[in-house]
Amino acid sequence: MSFKIASSPHGHSQHSTSSMMRWVCYALVPGVLIQSYFFGFGVWFQIVLAVITALLAESACIIARDRPAMSALRDNTALVTAILLAISIPPLAPWWIIVIGTLFAIVVVKHVYGGMGQNLFNPAMAGYVLLLVSFPVQMTNWLPPSTIGEHSLTLWQTLHTILFEYTPAGYSVEQLRAGIDGVTMATPLDAIKTGLTQGFTLTEIYDKPQFSFLAGAGWQWVNLGFLIGGLLLIQQRIISWHIPVGVIAGLCVPAFFAYLFAPDLMAGPIVHALSGATMLGAFFIATDPVSAATSNRGRVVFGLLIGLLVFIIRSWGGYPDGVAFAVLLANMCVPIIDRYTRPTVYGHGERK
Amino acid sequence: MSHSDNNTIYVSSNVSGHFPGGIHPPERKAPACNNSIRSLPLPDELILPVRQHIGPSGNLLVEPGQRVDKGQQLTEASLSLGLPLHAPTSGIIHAIEERPTAHASGLPELAIVIKPDGEDRWGNKHTIPDYREVEVSRLLELIQQAGIAGLGGAGFPTAQKLAQQKPLRHLIINGVECEPYIAADDGLMQAYADDIVAGVKILQYITHCDSVLFAIENNKPKAIDAILAAIGDDSQIALKVVPTKYPSGGEKQLIELLTGEQVPSGKLPMDIGFLMQNVGTAYAVKRAIIHGEPLLERVVTMTGDAIAKKRNVWALLGTPIEHLLKESGFTAQTKQRVIMGGPMMGFTLPSIEVPVIKTTNCVLAPTEEELPAPGPELACIRCGACADACPATLQPQQLQLLAKAKDYDALDEQNLFDCIECGACAYVCPSEIPLVHYYRKAKAEIRNIAREKAKAEHARQRFEARQERLEREKQERLERHRKAAEARKKTQAEKAETPSSDSKEKPESGGKSAAVAAAIARAKAKKAAQAQKADEENSSAKGNES
């Protein structure tokens, strides 16, 4: 009989890092399904490309750093990073976009800083921002949702476009973006931004086909899909409610008041909440534990900050969406947020 | 939940406070708490480590070969913090030697080994039917002499705790027993509720406290009913049914749960008017005072899937765990762990030859499927699950990073020493980081550093004192020399002033001797001059060499 010496506690709850990450992947399913319904099969190709790149890059880094490869690969964190980045970029973006972005996210943002748990920034969002500032054209080529778009591509046409940047028939993505009226279709947030600079009021802009009864056509359903997935994560206790609620409140409360004061110039809270990457950002990206604040109070502050930054960037900044920038900026603030939101330790508070 | 078994209704929770964090691990108490407490056949030998509590051990009163009666005192407490030991049954002192003991380190300690004679013959018992006629100080003495240490966890000598008299607001009786698997207190409360309440009343008499909060977790309905019945219409004892959550039974957590107050860091519950005693301790106090029986046995939960007969047993102190396992149908598995205590705070035994001691409440022999050994430690992903689970509102993920970085100042600033090592953080950690292990190590290192620092400080003070002494002695010596020189000068001056009187006394011999002395002085001066010259030559030669 051999006696194994072990440190207490001798039990463990069921959640492991890899199962948590797996749950994140499951929770993305509704959003991704809706996204592929509205924006085509491209998103699946992007996910496959990103996952392959991420796993190869992760393995290479781990081997280069002389770490046990299997346990690191099995933790599924690279998988989550890859999928998040893949669903953030336009589905028809050329293949090298996602490969570069994923390589940057895994190699530079994650492993150069010391691997899992050590990265200061959200790898997927850092990768996204790198791509956005380096390849603005490819990164903003979103097709209009299938319900209003002129073209819908088959599986083969999609693959061809991603690989060669043209459909088999020779259309560029730019040409595919034309709507029924022959005008290039911008994403809803883009349309708001451009329309306002051209002197239109929001009411006029909302008449465009990109918008439907809640927010942007297609986009609102994608956002609702990620909202459902996010609620599943909260229900499974994979994430706590503090960050998503913070993000949504930080975005929607200022948007609500801005809308009250200038309804013709400021998008309302519902448009903000259900367009762009709001829900994906609130539930799946801002909640990345490694680069987020750790205490519950800190998480609320962190979320509010992201929401507020998104509101500011969307309203007055140079970019239509801004979730990625907001998350990265908030990542930078995490040490100070953590410092000032640390809860009082038992026995160190004021006597009641 | 409401019961009407004995016309008493209680709700699932009637506590006014709340403590943060906590976890809900599977309870797994049912197999053990559903049976009555069994007595076991006597083991072949009883191993009684002389030190079973906080503080120094007592002096031996027996020697090998001596026959002892049940209850006979084996050691005498030497200092105020020590406790005496007693023979758990009659027999012969077989040996007094080093034996492996129930401690995580497994280091052998001095133990008295008794071979039972099977008669279980009591010596004299000093019973007190009515403790109210006895002075409190005498009762404290009796509790001390009965060798009673807190039976909940740390094993602090009970009389010591009771003697620290400060005005009490509440006497808290801890029957929470929040660790999974353990059902020793539950079993005791079910079977001996009247004795426990009688013990509580003795504690009340000793502490002059008119408010008792008796706390039990709501997963022990039978114990709750039994204690309710035993309390009857005593208005001074309030039963507090607390929600099931680990670690509600921690002293600080229970105080916060029952009263909403926190014990300030570095202070004792006593400092804010609370005194906590475990139900087992109350029972032992009753046995000691009213029946005159010292602490000889305790309830131990035998549990875990490697054990066929999961149940509570009465185990004599000193019973080898091996004996308990054998009597309980234990089958060792591969990679078998035997844990003393529960899965959250217990420690794995280095061998099953170690004995039951006063704080042994559970022997847990799990199978690998039941409590899988921890997987490989992954990197911390700062998910904060540990912080959410921490009942002391610490930041375990930060402490872990700082402990690995050996940043002791920052650990202190983040209040590492307020960690109660309950294990809730490590239980929830998805990366399976053995957090408590890191904290224990860091605490030990910090204590070591403090010890080394104190030692170094002591050495420095000693060195400085020595330097000071040497300097003082030097100054004194110089002062003495100076004084002596002055005195010489003075006497010489006096001599010089009075040559006439001298010559008057010895006119002839005086002049002669003076001439001789002058000659000797000249010769000496010449010699000295020569020596000096030689010295100078030597030193200049050396100077040339260098």
Side-chain angles (χ1 to χ4, degrees):
Chain A
M1 185 162 41
S2 75
F3 286 95
K4 201 171 163 296
I5 303 293
S7 169
S8 67
H10 306 283
H12 193 261
S13 66
Q14 291 310 303
H15 278 316
S16 64
T17 301
S18 60
S19 78
M20 284 170 74
M21 294 298 158
R22 210 166 46 237
W23 267 102
V24 174
C25 297
Y26 298 154
L28 284 167
V29 169
V32 173
L33 282 178
I34 296 173
Q35 195 175 352
S36 63
Y37 171 76
F38 283 105
F39 297 97
F41 304 108
V43 60
W44 293 106
F45 288 117
Q46 301 290 359
I47 289 175
V48 170
L49 269 174
V51 167
I52 292 170
T53 314
L55 292 182
L56 290 177
E58 179 97 347
S59 313
C61 287
I62 290 165
I63 291 166
R65 295 175 60 221
D66 208 12
R67 297 291 159 100
M70 274 329 284
S71 68
L73 277 181
R74 227 182 278 136
D75 67 31
N76 294 333
T77 47
L79 189 70
V80 169
T81 299
I83 298 176
L84 289 178
L85 184 55
I87 60 183
S88 308
I89 68 167
L92 287 183
W95 65 272
W96 47 267
I97 285 278
I98 189 68
V99 170
I100 290 174
T102 312
L103 281 176
F104 179 75
I106 300 289
V107 178
V108 179
V109 186
K110 188 173 171 187
H111 282 286
V112 168
Y113 280 86
M116 181 167 77
Q118 302 293 317
N119 46 297
L120 306 181
F121 296 104
N122 185 310
M125 285 306 98
Y128 180 88
V129 164
L130 171 91
L131 294 173
L132 186 63
V133 296
S134 309
F135 313 107
V137 176
Q138 288 82 351
M139 284 296 285
T140 47
N141 268 343
W142 282 88
L143 285 196
S146 57
T147 43
I148 57 167
E150 183 84 322
H151 308 270
S152 65
L153 301 182
T154 64
L155 210 62
W156 163 242
Q157 286 169 328
T158 310
L159 183 60
H160 195 281
T161 313
I162 290 174
L163 290 179
F164 306 111
E165 304 184 34
Y166 289 96
T167 62
Y171 290 105
S172 71
V173 179
E174 191 55 39
Q175 288 165 319
L176 294 174
R177 295 180 71 199
I180 300 150
D181 52 2
V183 178
T184 300
M185 301 278 273
T187 64
L189 286 171
D190 243 341
I192 292 175
K193 185 130 233 133
T194 324
L196 286 173
T197 52
Q198 289 168 343
F200 292 102
T201 64
L202 275 175
T203 333
E204 291 162 339
I205 297 169
Y206 287 158
D207 278 342
K208 291 188 175 178
Q210 288 99 315
F211 295 89
S212 65
F213 70 103
L214 282 172
W219 289 91
Q220 61 197 7
W221 302 114
V222 174
N223 269 287
L224 288 173
F226 288 128
L227 171 65
I228 290 168
L231 294 177
L232 177 73
L233 287 185
I234 291 176
Q235 187 259 331
Q236 288 292 320
R237 296 174 178 273
I238 306 291
I239 60 172
S240 73
W241 56 267
H242 302 83
I243 292 176
V245 168
V247 173
I248 294 169
L251 173 62
C252 293
V253 171
F256 174 72
F257 286 106
Y259 177 72
L260 278 189
F261 286 112
D264 265 356
L265 297 173
M266 303 298 274
I270 292 177
V271 173
H272 272 297
L274 295 180
S275 58
T278 306
M279 290 299 168
L280 180 67
F283 288 94
F284 293 89
I285 288 167
T287 51
D288 164 32
V290 179
S291 52
T294 46
S295 69
N296 284 338
R297 263 196 306 167
R299 287 175 183 145
V300 172
V301 173
F302 176 76
L304 285 172
L305 180 64
I306 291 178
L308 187 66
L309 286 169
V310 171
F311 171 72
I312 291 170
I313 295 170
R314 283 182 182 176
S315 304
W316 300 287
Y319 287 90
D321 194 347
V323 169
F325 289 104
V327 169
L328 294 187
L329 287 169
N331 285 164
M332 291 183 206
C333 303
V334 161
I336 196 114
I337 294 175
D338 274 348
R339 179 163 183 86
Y340 286 102
T341 53
R342 202 187 297 159
T344 313
V345 174
Y346 182 101
H348 289 268
E350 296 283 310
R351 277 285 302 279
K352 279 173 217 164
Chain B
M1 174 172 81
S2 72
H3 280 235
S4 49
D5 305 24
N6 44 13
N7 299 326
T8 325
I9 291 173
Y10 57 88
V11 289
S12 68
S13 164
N14 60 356
V15 294
S16 48
H18 150 87
F19 72 90
I23 52 171
H24 297 92
E27 294 169 28
R28 294 174 178 156
K29 289 179 187 249
C33 71
N34 284 343
N35 304 307
S36 58
I37 308 170
R38 297 294 186 83
S39 291
L40 297 179
L42 285 171
D44 293 338
E45 59 176 24
L46 293 166
I47 304 155
L48 297 152
V50 283
R51 189 170 171 274
Q52 298 195 8
H53 46 77
I54 294 170
S57 58
N59 297 326
L60 292 169
L61 295 176
V62 290
E63 50 193 32
Q66 190 178 333
R67 175 168 291 281
V68 289
D69 286 330
K70 183 173 190 171
Q72 184 175 332
Q73 203 170 329
L74 303 177
T75 66
E76 185 182 43
S78 54
L79 281 167
S80 58
L81 222 58
L83 281 180
L85 268 179
H86 303 80
T89 185
S90 57
I92 292 170
I93 306 290
H94 173 63
I96 299 176
E97 60 189 17
E98 303 242 301
R99 288 290 185 104
T101 55
H103 188 265
S105 71
L107 290 176
E109 279 185 61
L110 190 67
I112 300 170
V113 183
I114 297 178
K115 280 239 185 279
D117 58 14
E119 290 172 27
D120 209 26
R121 186 187 59 247
W122 274 100
N124 286 333
K125 289 202 238 180
H126 184 75
T127 61
I128 299 179
D130 191 359
Y131 58 87
R132 286 187 177 81
E133 290 173 355
V134 184
E135 274 189 35
V136 166
S137 58
R138 174 72 190 139
L139 292 177
L140 288 174
E141 223 173 279
L142 288 171
I143 291 171
Q144 155 85 13
Q145 279 167 13
I148 299 175
L151 296 180
F156 194 84
T158 302
Q160 286 298 316
K161 208 168 168 181
L162 289 170
Q164 297 166 4
Q165 284 287 352
K166 285 190 187 175
L168 276 194
R169 286 189 280 161
H170 302 293
L171 172 64
I172 299 172
I173 303 300
N174 191 343
V176 172
E177 200 167 48
C178 58
E179 269 238 16
Y181 286 99
I182 308 179
D185 288 348
D186 189 0
L188 193 74
M189 287 189 286
Q190 288 182 40
Y192 298 91
D194 291 329
D195 300 77
I196 292 170
V197 172
V200 170
K201 287 179 181 166
I202 299 174
L203 293 173
Q204 247 187 307
Y205 173 74
I206 291 173
T207 56
H208 309 291
C209 181
D210 55 12
S211 165
V212 178
L213 305 179
F214 198 127
I216 308 178
E217 243 181 9
N218 65 10
N219 61 357
K220 303 176 184 63
K222 286 186 197 162
I224 291 169
D225 287 341
I227 293 294
L228 263 182
I231 293 172
D233 55 3
D234 190 326
S235 61
Q236 295 192 332
I237 306 179
L239 183 68
K240 294 285 179 184
V241 180
V242 307
T244 300
K245 177 164 101 168
Y246 177 85
S248 298
E251 188 170 58
K252 291 177 168 183
Q253 279 61 48
L254 187 54
I255 286 172
E256 195 175 6
L257 192 53
L258 294 177
T259 67
E261 291 186 46
Q262 293 190 345
V263 183
S265 183
K267 299 228 169 180
L268 294 171
M270 178 73 76
D271 297 325
I272 55 168
F274 303 125
L275 179 73
M276 193 176 293
Q277 295 289 348
N278 172 267
V279 284
T281 315
Y283 175 79
V285 165
K286 192 250 179 180
R287 300 302 299 182
I289 300 295
I290 297 184
H291 307 277
E293 294 174 8
L295 182 62
L296 303 182
E297 58 182 353
R298 64 157 300 142
V299 184
V300 177
T301 301
M302 300 299 298
T303 187
D305 283 351
I307 285 175
K309 295 179 223 163
K310 300 184 186 72
R311 59 194 181 177
N312 280 322
V313 297
W314 277 114
L316 293 180
L317 299 181
T319 308
I321 300 300
E322 198 173 8
H323 179 75
L324 294 181
L325 288 170
K326 202 178 78 194
E327 294 293 330
S328 306
F330 165 67
T331 325
Q333 318 279 310
T334 49
K335 285 200 214 162
Q336 181 68 54
R337 283 166 297 170
V338 176
I339 296 162
M340 187 175 281
M344 297 304 297
M345 293 187 77
F347 55 91
T348 51
L349 290 177
S351 108
I352 50 173
E353 286 156 29
V354 306
V356 169
I357 56 169
K358 290 172 184 176
T359 51
T360 307
N361 51 7
C362 180
V363 174
L364 170 58
T367 59
E368 179 68 12
E369 300 81 62
E370 190 182 6
L371 290 178
E377 177 185 344
L378 300 178
C380 169
I381 54 166
R382 296 178 17 107
C383 64
C386 50
D388 294 341
C390 180
T393 37
L394 290 160
Q395 297 285 296
Q397 78 279 5
Q398 299 292 350
L399 291 175
Q400 171 255 155
L401 285 173
L402 297 170
K404 283 181 181 166
K406 300 192 185 292
D407 188 343
Y408 299 127
D409 291 338
L411 281 169
D412 197 43
E413 193 222 350
Q414 297 241 355
N415 308 110
L416 172 67
F417 279 89
D418 286 295
C419 167
I420 58 168
E421 299 180 17
C422 68
C425 52
Y427 179 81
V428 297
C429 177
S431 295
E432 305 213 30
I433 302 171
L435 293 156
V436 183
H437 175 71
Y438 284 116
Y439 307 150
R440 287 201 188 115
K441 222 173 124 208
K443 281 181 182 174
E445 278 161 12
I446 291 173
R447 287 198 195 100
N448 264 343
I449 289 170
R451 245 200 313 275
E452 290 298 316
K453 228 176 169 176
K455 242 165 132 182
E457 176 65 14
H458 189 68
R460 191 182 64 79
Q461 282 174 358
R462 231 174 30 204
F463 173 76
E464 280 177 358
R466 179 168 178 270
Q467 287 299 98
E468 210 174 284
R469 195 190 73 229
L470 290 179
E471 181 64 21
R472 197 177 58 236
E473 281 173 5
K474 193 176 158 197
Q475 292 301 334
E476 279 170 6
R477 206 165 52 238
L478 289 175
E479 183 67 18
R480 257 199 326 272
H481 288 177
R482 196 179 60 77
K483 275 188 179 153
E486 264 176 19
R488 261 200 315 278
K489 253 187 203 162
K490 214 172 158 189
T491 47
Q492 270 178 1
E494 276 168 9
K495 268 184 189 169
E497 271 172 26
T498 53
S500 53
S501 64
D502 274 2
S503 57
K504 258 180 205 167
E505 279 170 23
K506 302 171 191 170
E508 309 95 330
S509 64
K512 203 177 178 184
S513 65
V516 172
I520 290 168
R522 269 199 308 276
K524 268 186 181 165
K526 201 177 169 189
K527 232 179 206 173
Q530 273 170 355
Q532 200 182 347
K533 207 180 167 192
D535 267 1
E536 272 169 12
E537 275 168 7
N538 268 344
S539 65
S540 67
K542 268 180 195 161
N544 291 340
E545 271 167 28
S546 62

